[in-house]
């Protein structure tokens, strides 16, 4: 958890323009999903006649640097779009001072309507040791690929991270308190995917509720 604090700045990471999707959601997730597939693809390539000088080696730091560069590029695209549209962008913490007033950067900004669209933040379970874990947000900024990882949750975000980290070579266990993950999706899909994850080597455990976290 201590190594996952990078990226929280106006230039990129948690504070960048573009919201969850651009910074800690769809875009970096897709880049990581693509990257996680290459390990198996490179192993399969030999069967199709491709020969490499030696075994493939993962440079996690280089990938993270390139991923972050792409996110910063998109942050700049949104900045340019807003500027060209005549939007005044103030990069600072704001508080609502009245029905039509926002206090920000030492001055008051007034408007007939105030739209609050700050997004949300993943929550940690109220258990002993919860502060030792990280959320999906920090997972996008891990300085090193974890040797082992426990993913808590049964939604699609948890499933995606289990597959990503497994693809990059981590030993992954995923815990879900219910009988079957991905609630709300087609049951046949949920059961089939559970079987595929287990066949791939992911330790998938249902009816497992986290009680505490210890070092």
């Amino acid at each position: 958890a201590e190594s996952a604090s990078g990226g929280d700045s106006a230039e990129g990471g948690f504070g960048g323009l573009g919201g969850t999707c651009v910074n800690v959601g769809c875009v970096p997730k897709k880049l990581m999903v693509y990257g996680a597939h290459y390990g198996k693809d490179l192993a399969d390539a030999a069967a199709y006649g491709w020969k490499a000088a030696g075994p493939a080696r993962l440079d996690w730091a280089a990938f993270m640097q390139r991923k972050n560069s792409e996110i910063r590029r998109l942050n700049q695209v949104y900045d340019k779009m807003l500027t060209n549209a005549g939007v005044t962008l103030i990069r600072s913490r704001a508080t609502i001072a009245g029905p039509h007033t926002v206090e920000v950067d030492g001055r008051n900004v007034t408007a007939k309507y105030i739209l609050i669209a700050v997004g949300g933040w993943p929550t940690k379970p109220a258990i002993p040791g919860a502060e030792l874990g990280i959320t999906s947000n920090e997972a996008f900024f891990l300085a090193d690929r974890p040797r082992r990882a426990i993913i808590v949750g049964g939604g699609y975000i948890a499933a995606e991270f289990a597959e990503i980290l497994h693809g990059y070579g981590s030993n992954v266990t995923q815990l879900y308190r219910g009988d079957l993950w991905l609630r709300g999706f087609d049951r046949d899909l949920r059961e089939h995917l559970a079987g595929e994850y287990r066949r791939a080597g992911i330790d998938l455990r249902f009816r497992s509720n986290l009680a505490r976290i210890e070092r």
Side-chain angles (χ1 to χ4, degrees):
E2 291 84 355
S3 66
S5 58
D8 189 6
S9 69
E11 290 72 38
F14 306 154
L17 291 172
T20 297
C21 186
V22 168
N23 296 283
V24 287
C26 321
V27 175
K29 181 270 305 273
K30 288 175 182 174
L31 295 175
M32 295 178 81
V33 167
Y34 297 155
H37 280 258
Y38 277 102
K40 187 175 186 303
D41 292 343
L42 289 170
D44 291 342
Y48 294 88
W50 292 97
K51 298 185 183 298
R57 183 180 64 86
L58 172 66
D59 189 339
W60 178 267
F63 166 67
M64 278 292 173
Q65 183 179 24
R66 294 187 180 110
K67 185 268 292 180
N68 292 340
S69 294
E70 173 62 11
I71 302 309
R72 283 192 293 271
R73 184 189 72 81
L74 293 174
N75 295 151
Q76 292 164 4
V77 168
Y78 277 89
D79 192 319
K80 185 176 181 180
M81 290 171 60
L82 290 169
T83 301
N84 290 343
V87 174
T88 300
L89 183 62
I90 304 172
R91 297 179 184 270
S92 186
R93 183 175 179 84
T95 57
I96 297 177
H100 306 286
T101 304
V102 172
E103 183 179 339
V104 57
D105 204 24
R107 63 191 177 97
N108 291 333
V109 179
T110 60
K112 183 178 181 180
Y113 299 108
I114 300 173
L115 172 63
I116 302 175
V118 296
W121 196 269
T123 58
K124 297 179 182 179
I127 58 171
E131 71 280 358
L132 299 175
I134 63 173
T135 72
S136 56
N137 282 3
E138 291 91 352
F140 285 111
F141 298 94
L142 288 168
D144 300 299
R145 186 218 66 187
R147 185 168 60 88
R148 294 185 297 173
I150 295 177
I151 310 292
V152 181
Y156 65 89
I157 294 174
E160 288 168 344
F161 268 108
E163 189 265 346
I164 287 168
L165 292 177
H166 173 75
Y168 273 113
S170 299
N171 186 334
V172 177
T173 299
Q174 183 172 353
L175 310 178
Y176 178 52
R177 62 185 178 182
D179 293 331
L180 186 64
W181 64 353
L182 299 172
R183 186 175 60 185
F185 289 86
D186 180 83
R187 186 172 184 87
D188 287 348
L189 182 149
R190 297 160 68 195
E191 292 174 346
H192 177 75
L193 196 60
E196 290 299 305
Y197 267 51
R198 286 175 171 137
R199 274 190 286 274
I202 296 174
D203 185 3
L204 195 58
R205 304 187 189 187
F206 298 144
R207 296 181 292 280
S208 298
N209 211 1
L210 205 61
R212 65 182 180 274
I213 303 175
E214 298 176 350
R215 289 190 185 279

